[in-house]
C-alpha cells in the first residue's frame, strides 16, 4: 500500500529532529570537554568522513597537551591531558588521543576488591624531574610542556635534566601556639631544596641546637611529603613555664639557609581558669579518633 506524501516526509523529519536533539544534548551536557567530544564522535561515525577541507577546520586554542588529528585525520583538535580518559585501541576515537610525551595506559591503582574498574588514562612516559629555564623544578616533562603552553610568552625550555639547584624554601611554617602546663606541644616545618636541606631547631635566638640534653624535648625528621622535601618536628612533652619563648626552624644546604619562627605561650591552670575559655578549646587537642587516624598517616 503506497504511503501518503505526508507520511513519507514524516520519517526523515523525525530522524532529523532526533539527531538535532542528540547533538544539542551532547554540546550542553556537563563534564569535561573530552567527554563531549567523545559523544559527538560517536554520533558522527555513522556518516563516515567527508572530504577533507583544511580551510574549513576551526583552529583549537588552549591545548596544554598539544594537538592531534581528529578521527578523520583532517582537522586538528586538543589532545588529552595527563590523567584524562583515553582510547586504548588506537583505531577507536571516543575519548580521544593523548598528547605529546603521553601514552594511554590502563590505570590499576584503584581498589579492585571494592569493585573499582580500571580505566584507560593518559600517563606521561617519563617520571624524571627536570629543571626549567624559569628556575623551577618540574616533576616530569609533561608538566613543563603544560606550563610552556600556558605561558607561551615565557619561552620556557628545559635547562637541564634533574631538579634545579635552589636554596631551601619553607613550604609549611610552624605556627604560633599556646598550651597549659603538663600538656604536649608539637611544631612542624616542611622544607623543599636541592640538594636536600638539613633542619635544625633553636630557641630564643640562641645557637644551642635542640634538643640538647633536655629529656622532655625531642626532634624527628622524615623525607617528604613531596620529592626533594624534608619535614622536621619539634616535640615538647609536659610543657612548663620555662619552655615559653620563640622557636626557630633553620633549614640549610650548600646554597643558603632560611628560617621560620613560631612562639609558644605556656599558661598555668590558674591562668587558664581566669581567661574563661573552655578547657577543651584551650588544650588544642583533637578527639581521640582523629588523633589516632593522624598517627597512622604516611607523609610520603
Amino acid at each position: 500500500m503506497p504511503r501518503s506524501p505526508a507520511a513519507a516526509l514524516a520519517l526523515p523529519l523525525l530522524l532529523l529532529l532526533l539527531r538535532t536533539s542528540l547533538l544539542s544534548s551532547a554540546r550542553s551536557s556537563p563534564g569535561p570537554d573530552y567527554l563531549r567530544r567523545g559523544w559527538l564522535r560517536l554520533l558522527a561515525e555513522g556518516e563516515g568522513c567527508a572530504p577533507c577541507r583544511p580551510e574549513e577546520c576551526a583552529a583549537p586554542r588552549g591545548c596544554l597537551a598539544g594537538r592531534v588529528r581528529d578521527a578523520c585525520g583532517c582537522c586538528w583538535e586538543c589532545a588529552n591531558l595527563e590523567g584524562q580518559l583515553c582510547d586504548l585501541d588506537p583505531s577507536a576515537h571516543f575519548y580521544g588521543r593523548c598528547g605529546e610525551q603521553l601514552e594511554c595506559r590502563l590505570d590499576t591503582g584503584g581498589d579492585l576488591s571494592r569493585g573499582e574498574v580500571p580505566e584507560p588514562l593518559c600517563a606521561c612516559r617519563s617520571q624524571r624531574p627536570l629543571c626549567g629555564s624559569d628556575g623551577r623544578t618540574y616533576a616530569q616533562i609533561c608538566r613543563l610542556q603544560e606550563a610552556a603552553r600556558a605561558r607561551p610568552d615565557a619561552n620556557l625550555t628545559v635547562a637541564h635534566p634533574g631538579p634545579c639547584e635552589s636554596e631551601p624554601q619553607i613550604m609549611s611554617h610552624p605556627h604560633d601556639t599556646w598550651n597549659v602546663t603538663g600538656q604536649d606541644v608539637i611544631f612542624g616545618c616542611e622544607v623543599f631544596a636541592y640538594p636536600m636541606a638539613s633542619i635544625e631547631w633553636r630557641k630564643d635566638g640562641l645557637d644551642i641546637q635542640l634538643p640538647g640534653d633536655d629529656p622532655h624535648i625531642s626532634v624527628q625528621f622524615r623525607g617528604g611529603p613531596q620529592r626533594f622535601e624534608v619535614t622536621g618536628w619539634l616535640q615538647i612533652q609536659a610543657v612548663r613555664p620555662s619552655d615559653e619563648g620563640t622557636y626557630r626552624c633553620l633549614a640549610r644546604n650548600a646554597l643558603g639557609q632560611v628560617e621560620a619562627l613560631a612562639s609558644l605561650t605556656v599558661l598555668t591552670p590558674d591562668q587558664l581558669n581566669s581567661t574563661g575559655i573552655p578547657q577543651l578549646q584551650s588544650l588544642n587537642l583533637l578527639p581521640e579518633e582523629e588523633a589516632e587516624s593522624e598517627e597512622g598517616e604516611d607523609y610520603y
Side-chain angles (χ1 to χ4, degrees), residues 194-242:
Y194 187 81
M196 293 283 286
S198 62
I199 295 179
E200 300 174 2
W201 290 95
R202 303 178 189 273
K203 182 189 176 187
D204 291 334
L206 302 177
D207 289 332
I208 301 175
Q209 184 175 340
L210 298 175
D213 57 358
D214 197 328
H216 83 300
I217 297 179
S218 60
V219 296
Q220 293 181 345
F221 305 98
R222 192 172 187 178
Q226 303 297 326
R227 298 182 71 178
F228 312 113
E229 289 185 356
V230 61
T231 301
W233 295 273
L234 172 72
Q235 181 176 15
I236 307 174
Q237 297 178 316
V239 295
R240 47 205 183 198
S242 60

Side-chain angles (χ1 to χ4, degrees), residues 14-29:
L14 180 61
L15 292 174
L16 179 61
L17 291 174
L18 178 60
R19 173 178 170 76
T20 303
S21 175
L22 287 173
L23 286 171
S24 175
S25 174
R27 290 190 185 99
S28 61
S29 61

Side-chain angles (χ1 to χ4, degrees), residues 136-240:
R136 294 182 55 189
T137 296
Y138 292 85
Q140 22 94 332
I141 184 63
C142 301
R143 297 299 183 193
L144 183 140
Q145 288 181 337
E146 287 179 24
R149 293 187 178 105
R151 297 180 286 121
D153 295 339
N155 296 320
L156 180 61
T157 58
V158 177
H160 60 76
C164 303
E165 291 191 351
S166 67
E167 297 180 357
Q169 305 170 44
I170 296 183
M171 311 304 293
S172 179
H173 292 245
H175 300 289
D176 296 343
T177 189
W178 58 279
N179 217 321
V180 183
T181 54
Q183 300 297 323
D184 296 345
V185 169
I186 297 179
F187 290 108
C189 188
E190 180 184 317
V191 179
F192 169 85
Y194 187 81
M196 293 283 286
S198 62
I199 295 179
E200 300 174 2
W201 290 95
R202 303 178 189 273
K203 182 189 176 187
D204 291 334
L206 302 177
D207 289 332
I208 301 175
Q209 184 175 340
L210 298 175
D213 57 358
D214 197 328
H216 83 300
I217 297 179
S218 60
V219 296
Q220 293 181 345
F221 305 98
R222 192 172 187 178
Q226 303 297 326
R227 298 182 71 178
F228 312 113
E229 289 185 356
V230 61
T231 301
W233 295 273
L234 172 72
Q235 181 176 15
I236 307 174
Q237 297 178 316
V239 295
R240 47 205 183 198

Side-chain angles (χ1 to χ4, degrees), residues 20 23 26 31 60 66 87 97 99 133 135 157 182 188 222 259 264 279 299:
T20 303
L23 286 171
D87 297 307
R97 302 174 185 173
S133 56
T157 58
R222 192 172 187 178
E259 64 180 34
L264 171 63
Q279 183 77 9
Y299 287 88

Side-chain angles (χ1 to χ4, degrees), residues 59-76:
R61 298 180 179 180
C63 300
L64 297 184
R67 303 182 304 168
V68 293
R69 294 289 185 181
D70 62 11
C72 295
C74 180
C75 299
W76 291 104

